[in-house]
Amino acid sequence: MTINATLINLYHVCKRECWLHANGINMEHTSDMVYDGKLLHETSYAERNEKHSEMAVEAKYEDVDLRGKIDFYDARQKVIHETKRGNKVESAHEWQVKFYLWLLRLNGIDGANAKIEYPLLRQTHWVQLDAEDISKLEQTAKSVALLRDEPQCPPVIKAKICQSCSYYDLCYIGEE
Ligand code: SF4
């Protein structure tokens, strides 16, 4: 499986969730949060569809295949636009867009920035990519590829975020 932004994101949220997703065990269709997020995305910036374009980006780092689908990319301003429901896992959001910025760089597009928008909170965060970020992304991409190939699923993390995770039933079955 190609390493994408979802796996990079999940790696920072929960390695178990990352492993499950990377190995094709998907339960996202049961998650209200995912549905709400998609709805928010579609309704909040409907008019932007005409101004910006979705862009698929692929690259290779060492022997790891990378792929990203940027929802809104303003090629003229070199700005990636990402919309999020909240900012509770803001670090993961930042790494998601940093991954996109890295893919752009690997394709020869330098100097791009990313803007994460939280319409429900009326907040925006600008994200840039520096040399340290690139080094971390290189390491994370390799770590995700290694994690994906692990025969054993990582343990349950027993964190607050589990309550809103689509894998909750799978992880906590029999624990009540
Ligand atoms: S329920 Fe918790 S431990 Fe299980 S995959 Fe989700 S975040 Fe990870």
Side-chain angles (χ1 to χ4, degrees):
M1 185 186 199
T2 304
I3 304 302
N4 58 25
T6 300
L7 293 177
I8 294 287
N9 189 343
L10 293 180
Y11 187 82
H12 292 283
V13 175
C14 171
K15 290 179 178 54
R16 180 180 173 89
E17 190 174 357
C18 184
W19 185 94
L20 288 164
H21 197 82
N23 283 282
I25 304 165
N26 295 312
M27 302 179 80
E28 282 191 355
H29 60 283
T30 64
S31 167
D32 287 343
M33 279 192 72
V34 170
Y35 174 74
D36 285 352
K38 282 182 178 155
L39 196 64
L40 175 81
H41 183 84
E42 285 162 10
T43 55
S44 297
Y45 298 103
E47 61 188 53
R48 183 177 287 157
N49 283 314
E50 294 165 15
K51 295 187 207 159
H52 304 274
S53 56
E54 188 178 273
M55 193 168 84
V57 196
E58 293 185 358
K60 199 171 182 85
Y61 172 67
E62 296 190 354
D63 59 345
V64 181
D65 291 315
L66 309 166
R67 182 183 304 149
K69 198 172 87 175
I70 301 170
D71 285 338
F72 296 108
Y73 180 63
D74 183 341
R76 204 153 56 95
Q77 302 292 329
K78 289 190 179 178
V79 176
I80 290 168
H81 291 264
E82 183 71 26
T83 308
K84 294 296 183 187
R85 181 181 176 80
N87 65 356
K88 287 179 186 167
V89 283
E90 194 174 310
S91 171
H93 298 165
E94 281 194 16
W95 282 107
Q96 182 183 353
V97 295
K98 282 180 178 179
F99 176 73
Y100 293 154
L101 292 169
W102 182 41
L103 289 186
L104 291 182
R105 278 185 69 114
L106 288 170
N107 278 277
I109 302 172
D110 290 323
N113 294 304
K115 187 181 182 184
I116 307 175
E117 298 174 87
Y118 298 88
L120 297 182
L121 301 174
R122 298 181 185 276
Q123 288 182 21
T124 61
H125 292 274
W126 282 93
V127 179
Q128 286 87 32
L129 187 74
D130 61 25
E132 197 177 328
D133 295 328
I134 292 170
S135 168
K136 282 184 184 168
L137 282 162
E138 290 171 350
Q139 191 55 52
T140 304
K142 286 195 281 189
S143 297
V144 171
L146 287 173
L147 176 67
R148 172 196 57 196
D149 296 337
E150 284 282 327
Q152 202 77 22
C153 182
V156 171
I157 61 171
K158 298 196 173 173
K160 195 176 172 189
I161 198 168
C162 295
Q163 290 166 11
S164 57
C165 177
S166 58
Y167 293 108
Y168 182 85
D169 289 346
L170 180 76
C171 291
Y172 291 95
I173 192 165
E175 290 232 349
E176 299 280 317

